[in-house]
Structures are given as structure tokens and as C-alpha cells.
Amino acid sequence: MKRFNANTIKRLLILLLLFPWVINSTKAQVAINDDDSSGEASAALDVYSSTFNKGVLFPVMTDAERLAIKSPANGLLVFNRSGGYFNYFDGTNWVQITRSTVLLATNPGGSESDIGVGVGIDDPDNSAMLHVNSVTKGFLLPRFATGAPATPATGLIFYSSSINKINVYNGASWDVVNTTTLGAAAGGTETAAGVLIGTGTIEASAKMEVRSTTQGLLLPRLTDAQRDAIKSPAEGLTIYNTDDNTVQYYASSTWYEWSSGVNDYGTVIGNPGLSCKDIYDNNPGTVGVDGSTYYIDPDGAGAGAAYQCYCDMTRNGGGWTLVENTGPKKAGNKITASSGATPILPSQGTFAKLSDADINLIRGTYSSSILWVERQNTCSNTDIWFKENLIFNSTAANGTQSIQSYYTSYANAIADTDMQTGTSNYGSAFDSWSGGTAGYRLIFDYGTEGFITSGCNSTTSCTDNNRSECEVLVWVKQP
């Protein structure tokens, strides 16, 4: 069966006449469905399939494409494939809708039926009942200056321009999505070209706009089972889940939901972040709040793989993940660090280390990540900072490359553009503070010795010379 490309509201009305089972417009509404129903009275646009498991695809674009939209309208919504989050413009800044992981997807392969409406695309994706396609324009929800739609249907969505937030009706009350600010938008003027449901002139930054002061938007409503039965869901495919009463979408083989109410991202084991920096960036309530009540899952495997971690959310911008804690000083030097221990806390009684794989995941791009070594025992309490591009490897043999340069300030470390590496007798991670027997030398060798001291400065008598260190913390953060 042919699919549809509706570039103007006039064409939508033509489709109504030719294909009444696809679009039905009554009571100032537009309904996109397959059963010739009128749609919910509280919705200006009601997208639904009574036969097939389908969702809605909003404009999907990269971060760079989103930032190139000129003078976006207040409430303009896009799916940002660069990070896998929904973004919208709040009138001043682009903001990111906080997400929570629902589950890793188990959707079957294959293809859904060839029925759907496309805006800006001749061949809409088979997983979508409505597919709005653009890399230069977004989607505008119904916008309300005050109040909310009367007698709303469960799943109804609108944008409140008074608080600059998206509201979703969960069947009992209105949920307000959580967001974090991304930054300002580009100036200039777009050329108007899109579909307007309502009256007047479409906003130039919108590929499709639903305009109403009394009605909202309804997405396809699916149960857990129906969601999981969608064949080969497209990136950004969005539904309203009637079992959980949340807006959910598909990205990176995972189903996510828009977070609302209290933002618990990274603060409960069931909703972990990827790192402390990720939590800091996506949960505004954690900014400036240090502690051990944080949970991370660096590989994104799901809540069952999360573990507790200490986050420093204050110093040098905040968002530091504690990845190594030597705990109390030991009698000998051959201490094998535990891998993947839970939790990683900055207490005297804890000796733990994240696995190499997780540390490398948290660091992301090695050439730009910052390592902060905090040493607080009697020999010296000076912090040292590294910006280096070596992978962590507990099993590396002596003689491999290690870091020779270090900094005594975070600012100098992030300004470094010249990575200096060399050969060391203890080469598994980094070897620094070098200065011969007269200077302090910190050796960090995962495989055999952990942290040890080799030489101290001339003014300090180190009782733990050539022994394992106590009270050494290692932190990682993307700058």
C-alpha cells in the first residue's frame, strides 16, 4: 500500500478524502489511524493504530544539525541522535529531557505493515504511524500560555510556555518532564515550509506544528507487550506506554522513558548514570552535592550491573568519579588491587578499584580525559593532575609507556596539548613526580604493587618509603 508525504495541511485534507481510513478530521481535530475513528476530544492530533504496533518519529538529527536551526520557536522538539536524548527549545536555551532506562530491547526483526503518514519523507519508516522527517526543522507541540486541556485523555501531551516545560497526563495527574540546560540557539531566520494543524502561519523552524489552545497531542498508546512486539523500531521511535503511563522511546537497542517528578538519575541503583560527570550533567539536583549516594553503570548494561560510587560534585567544575581508593596502608608493597569492587568509597576502611574496562569507559577519549591523584598521607598532600592518552591495563608488563609530565593544578592539566610519554620500570599506568632520589616519585602499578613510594623530597622524612601508600584516591573526569 502506498505511503503518504503530506507537505501542507491542504494535502492532509486531500488524503482525508482519498483515504478516509488513514486520516479523519472532526471537531477541529486530525486523527491518523487505521480504524476510521474520530480520535480523542482532548487531542488536536491523535495518532493511533488499532491493528499494528507502531509509534511516532519526530525529527531526528545530530547535535550539529540541531544547533544550526535558526531562531527555534519556543517548545520546538527534536530527537538528538548524537546523545540519544530528546531536546527542545525553552525560549532561551536548548534543554535536554532527562531519561531513565526502561529495559534493553528484545524487539523482533523484520518489518511492520506499510501504513503510515510521512511529513517530509515519501517513504515513512514502517515502525511509525506518523514520521516527521527533517534535519533542519523540529516539531511543535500544542502550546499553552496558562492552564491545561480540560478532561484530558491518558497520554495527552502539551507544552507549557509559562514554565517552559512539557506536560504529560498519566491518567491521574500531569507529569512535568525533567530537563538540563544545553545552551543557546543560532540566530537568523528559517524559511517556513511544513505542515500546520490549526490556523494561521506555521512557525518557520517547524516541519510540523500542532496549534491549539484547548487540545494536546496523543501518541500511539501501547502496552509493554505491544511495544516489545514492534518489529525493527527506528531510532527515536516514540510511544505512550499504557502499562507504565510514561512516554517511551527507542535508542541504541534500549527503551528509555522521559523522566518526570523527582529527578533520581544517578542517585538510585535502578537509574544509574554512566559516570559522575554524566550524572552531574543530567541531574541538576546533584550539582554541588558530594557523597557516596551515587550509582554508575559505565557500560550501560542495565540496573543490575550498577554499583555505588563516590562522586565529587564541587571541585574544578564537579563530576569527578572515584575510580581508585587504596584504603589503609599495608605492611608490604605487593598489594593486588581488587577489580570491580563495590562500592568505591573514600573511607579508610575501603580498598577498592574499578575494573580497567570501566575506567577506560568513563574516561572516554584518553587524550582529553583528566586524571586527578589525591594523596593525603604524611609524605605529601599535594594533588597531581594528568591529561594523557594511555589506556589503563592492569596486566601491562614493565617497560611499557607511562606518563612523565604532571601538573599541580587542574587548569594547567586541561591546557596541556603536548602529551609526553616515555619508558619506565613501572609502566602500567603512569609514573610521575619524578626527581630521582632527592624528589618524590609516585609509582602506580596495578598488577603487582598498587601505589608505592620511591624516594621523598629532601625536607620530609617518609616512614612509608618504598611501601604501599595509604589514603591515595584517583579520580577521573571528562573535561
Side-chain angles (χ1 to χ4, degrees), residues 66 111 130 338 355:
R66 171 186 62 81
S111 179
L130 170 64
S338 56
S355 68

Side-chain angles (χ1 to χ4, degrees), residues 52-56 106-112 125-128 220 222-234 237-239 250 255:
F52 306 107
N53 300 316
K54 290 174 176 281
V56 165
T106 58
N107 295 75
S111 179
E112 293 289 349
D125 193 270
N126 280 20
S127 64
L222 280 69
T223 64
D224 283 341
Q226 291 169 331
R227 175 204 61 201
D228 295 340
I230 298 174
K231 298 175 182 176
S232 303
L237 189 74
T238 307
I239 66 160
Y250 179 86
W255 285 100

